[in-house]
Amino acid sequence: MYAILCVASDPNVNHSVALVLRSRGYICISAESAEEAIGAFGGSGADLVVLDHSMEGSEKLAEELKKLRNVPLIMLAGLSDVVPAMPFVDLLCPK
């Protein structure tokens, strides 16, 4: 089973993304800050990162995560992007 790290400063966005991912059978690890994300990323073995683009410092965080380990990263521009992004999640983490 694939683990996906979801990073969004808004807990509602994190919760919504986690619901969609879990309903599709993925393990979802949530983080609400860059510090939390780096800590969770290092200890989780995440196979994919879903990052809220509107979160302050999201581009820098994406660069930092890529330096730690090369994993696919999907940047969401808004909560409405969650469902349309699912084909990419399924492609990157096939069941």
Side-chain angles (χ1 to χ4, degrees), residues 29-68:
I29 303 110
S30 296
E32 295 181 8
S33 69
E35 295 80 22
E36 234 182 275
I38 290 171
F41 185 72
S44 70
D47 301 293
L48 174 71
V49 176
V50 176
L51 177 59
D52 181 6
H53 186 267
S54 67
M55 188 175 103
E56 186 176 327
S58 61
E59 287 94 3
K60 184 177 179 185
L61 175 59
E63 290 172 14
E64 290 300 314
L65 293 174
K66 287 296 218 178
K67 285 179 190 174
L68 292 173

Side-chain angles (χ1 to χ4, degrees), residues 4-92:
I4 300 173
L5 175 61
C6 175
V7 186
S9 56
D10 182 339
N12 293 322
V13 172
N14 256 341
H15 179 72
S16 297
V17 173
L19 280 175
V20 172
L21 293 172
R22 288 185 181 123
S23 74
R24 297 179 68 99
Y26 296 107
I27 296 169
C28 185
I29 303 110
S30 296
E32 295 181 8
S33 69
E35 295 80 22
E36 234 182 275
I38 290 171
F41 185 72
S44 70
D47 301 293
L48 174 71
V49 176
V50 176
L51 177 59
D52 181 6
H53 186 267
S54 67
M55 188 175 103
E56 186 176 327
S58 61
E59 287 94 3
K60 184 177 179 185
L61 175 59
E63 290 172 14
E64 290 300 314
L65 293 174
K66 287 296 218 178
K67 285 179 190 174
L68 292 173
R69 192 163 25 95
N70 190 23
V71 298
L73 188 139
I74 296 175
M75 302 243 341
L76 299 179
L79 188 55
S80 62
D81 285 350
V82 174
V83 174
M86 289 313 300
F88 297 105
V89 171
D90 293 337
L91 177 68
L92 296 166

